């Protein structure tokens, strides 16, 4: 009797809850949403990079996307349509290097990046004296800033458009400052042709206010004054103003409205960025017209043999993912 083999289905936790809008109130377009997944086997560090990228893409991504070994690219595409997913971020690994593909669904284009270097969010936090990554940091999508992409070359224009459309657009006249808590920065170096990918948290600090006073206002805790001769020592004691000493050098803004307990309207606050990871150094090596297929719009490989080698590497990744 022939054995019937059931194909394993994908499980996807819903991307958005009922309170989240599905249409951008600025452009009228659907809010971009994403899947972050792998093709083929990944080592442990790249698996963690995959989770870091999912967290970076919050809140409009499937954080707990369950991948099955036999899932094909078509399976992800079939699920993406009903869920309104507009972009795929696909990690893969060959014998030579890891790769990141960023694709627009359902018809492309697809940008393929070689990952030269990367650091996980945990590595970035471990290198800092006071790492900062509160959970509510990911309630809103990050801002996107691109630098060095204005040379007018077609492949850089396509890269700019792709990354700008991954995140929802903002209206600087109506956006709430409290929702601007993260920023993704992509800096293109025309000399090395590499892209520095960074992810920061944004925080505001009132100019000229010591760290001790800020903590007192934010936490509303009674300070320990036993070692002080006078209450004024609490404000002027040396050593507690170290973090505010750099405010003059930082970018400052004048707030139109109150923001939190310490940043008040009509006062100056210093804008400070703190890296939260992940961090990557990328090289754009190919742009395809379709979804991981189709005509090649751009390639870093100048000869036909090099292009065939790159295509063979991609086919090996897909075959490995289908055969696992």
């Amino acid at each position: 009797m022939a054995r019937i083999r059931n194909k394993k289905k994908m499980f996807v936790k819903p991307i958005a809850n009922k309170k989240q809008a599905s249409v951008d109130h600025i452009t009228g377009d659907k809010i971009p949403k994403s899947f972050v997944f792998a093709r083929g086997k990944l080592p442990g560090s790249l698996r963690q990079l995959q989770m870091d990228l999912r967290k970076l893409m919050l809140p409009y991504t499937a954080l707990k996307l369950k991948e099955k070994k036999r899932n094909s690219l078509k399976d992800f595409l079939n699920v993406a349509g009903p869920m309104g997913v507009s972009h795929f971020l696909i990690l893969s690994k060959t014998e030579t290097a890891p790769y990141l593909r960023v694709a627009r669904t359902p018809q492309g284009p697809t940008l393929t990046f070689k990952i030269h270097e990367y650091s996980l969010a945990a590595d970035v936090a471990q290198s800092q004296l006071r790492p900062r990554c509160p959970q509510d940091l990911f309630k809103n999508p990050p801002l996107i800033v691109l630098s060095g992409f204005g040379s007018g070359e077609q492949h850089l224009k396509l890269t700019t458009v792709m990354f700008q459309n991954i995140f929802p657009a903002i209206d600087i006249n109506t956006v709430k400052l409290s929702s601007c808590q993260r920023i993704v920065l992509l800096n293109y170096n025309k000399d090395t042709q590499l892209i520095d990918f960074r992810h920061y948290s944004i925080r505001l600090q009132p100019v000229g206010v010591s760290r001790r006073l800020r903590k007192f206002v934010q936490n509303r805790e009674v300070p320990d004054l036993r070692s002080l001769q006078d209450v004024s020592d609490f404000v002027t004691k040396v050593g507690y103003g170290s973090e505010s000493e750099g405010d003059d050098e930082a970018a400052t803004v004048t707030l139109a409205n109150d923001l939190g307990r310490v940043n008040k309207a009509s006062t100056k606050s210093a804008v400070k960025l703190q890296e939260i990871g992940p961090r990557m150094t990328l090289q754009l090596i190919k742009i395809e017209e379709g979804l991981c297929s189709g005509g090649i719009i751009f390639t870093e490989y100048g000869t036909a043999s090099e292009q065939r080698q790159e295509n063979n590497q991609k086919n090996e990744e897909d075959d490995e993912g289908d055969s696992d």
Side-chain angles (χ1 to χ4, degrees):
M1 182 176 180
R3 182 182 176 184
I4 300 176
R5 195 164 81 184
N6 294 325
K7 188 173 183 180
K8 295 181 179 179
K9 295 183 178 180
M10 295 172 57
F11 169 76
V12 182
K13 185 177 180 179
I15 292 178
N17 56 42
K18 295 181 179 179
K19 296 182 180 180
Q20 288 180 326
S22 59
V23 177
D24 194 315
H25 72 283
I26 301 169
T27 63
D29 298 331
K30 291 184 178 180
I31 290 177
K33 300 175 183 178
S34 63
F35 278 168
V36 182
F37 58 94
R39 299 295 295 146
K41 292 182 180 180
L42 295 182
S45 59
L46 280 176
R47 281 287 177 187
Q48 186 56 52
L49 178 62
Q50 174 181 292
M51 293 305 301
D52 287 349
L53 287 174
R54 287 182 183 180
K55 198 170 183 181
L56 181 149
M57 298 301 295
L58 285 174
Y60 300 113
T61 194
L63 183 62
K64 297 184 178 180
L65 176 66
K66 301 296 183 182
E67 305 170 59
K68 303 298 183 181
K69 291 182 178 181
R70 304 186 68 86
N71 287 142
S72 65
L73 188 61
K74 186 177 180 181
D75 294 330
F76 288 100
L77 193 59
N78 290 338
V79 177
M83 297 189 69
V85 172
S86 58
H87 292 83
F88 286 169
L89 280 74
I90 309 170
L91 283 168
S92 59
K93 176 74 166 64
T94 67
E95 294 181 356
T96 56
Y99 292 84
L100 172 66
R101 279 178 276 176
V102 182
R104 175 87 186 200
T105 65
Q107 297 178 341
T110 302
L111 280 62
T112 301
F113 299 91
K114 181 179 180 180
I115 304 176
H116 283 258
E117 297 176 344
Y118 67 93
S119 296
L120 304 176
D123 298 329
V124 173
Q126 192 174 8
S127 67
Q128 298 173 346
L129 182 62
R130 295 188 183 92
R132 177 183 180 272
C133 191
Q135 289 298 319
D136 62 354
L137 203 62
F138 299 94
K139 288 184 177 179
N140 296 290
L143 308 177
I144 179 76
V145 175
L146 296 102
S147 174
F149 289 86
S151 65
E153 298 178 76
Q154 183 187 24
H155 65 285
L156 295 182
K157 288 182 179 179
L158 290 173
T159 304
T160 300
V161 172
M162 179 67 78
F163 278 103
Q164 284 179 337
N165 290 332
I166 284 180
F167 303 106
I170 64 168
D171 184 349
I172 59 175
N173 297 315
T174 60
V175 66
K176 294 182 180 179
L177 286 178
S178 58
S179 66
C180 302
Q181 297 191 54
R182 294 186 292 136
I183 183 170
V184 172
L185 172 63
L186 277 73
N187 180 66
Y188 177 72
N189 187 319
K190 64 179 181 180
D191 296 325
T192 62
Q193 297 185 346
L194 298 179
I195 300 171
D196 292 322
F197 184 104
R198 301 289 187 269
H199 184 209
Y200 298 93
S201 67
I202 305 172
R203 58 193 175 102
L204 296 180
Q205 293 181 355
V207 173
V209 179
S210 68
R211 179 172 176 266
R212 171 175 269 199
L213 279 179
R214 289 199 304 269
K215 290 185 67 177
F216 171 64
V217 174
Q218 290 172 338
N219 300 333
R220 295 181 178 177
E221 295 179 354
V222 178
D224 185 0
L225 305 177
R226 289 176 298 178
S227 61
L228 305 179
Q229 298 295 325
D230 189 87
V231 68
S232 62
D233 294 339
F234 176 75
V235 179
T236 61
K237 187 175 181 181
V238 177
Y240 288 93
S242 58
E243 284 198 2
S244 63
E245 289 173 357
D247 288 344
D248 293 337
E249 299 178 2
T252 59
V253 295
T254 301
L255 300 180
N257 302 298
D258 291 350
L259 186 63
R261 297 174 182 172
V262 295
N263 295 285
K264 298 300 180 180
S266 302
T267 62
K268 284 190 175 182
S269 294
V271 181
K272 296 197 173 184
L273 303 181
Q274 183 166 346
E275 188 172 5
I276 55 178
R279 175 194 301 181
M280 294 185 290
T281 301
L282 307 173
Q283 179 187 8
L284 179 64
I285 61 171
K286 186 168 55 176
I287 300 178
E288 297 166 286
E289 291 181 348
L291 183 66
C292 300
S293 62
I296 296 178
I297 301 174
F298 166 82
T299 178
E300 274 294 300
Y301 301 97
T303 66
S305 61
E306 289 173 320
Q307 291 183 31
R308 284 195 297 270
Q309 181 181 1
E310 179 61 26
N311 288 332
N312 291 337
Q313 286 181 343
K314 190 188 76 170
N315 292 335
E316 289 175 5
E317 297 165 14
D318 294 340
D319 291 341
E320 185 178 2
D322 293 337
S323 62
D324 286 344

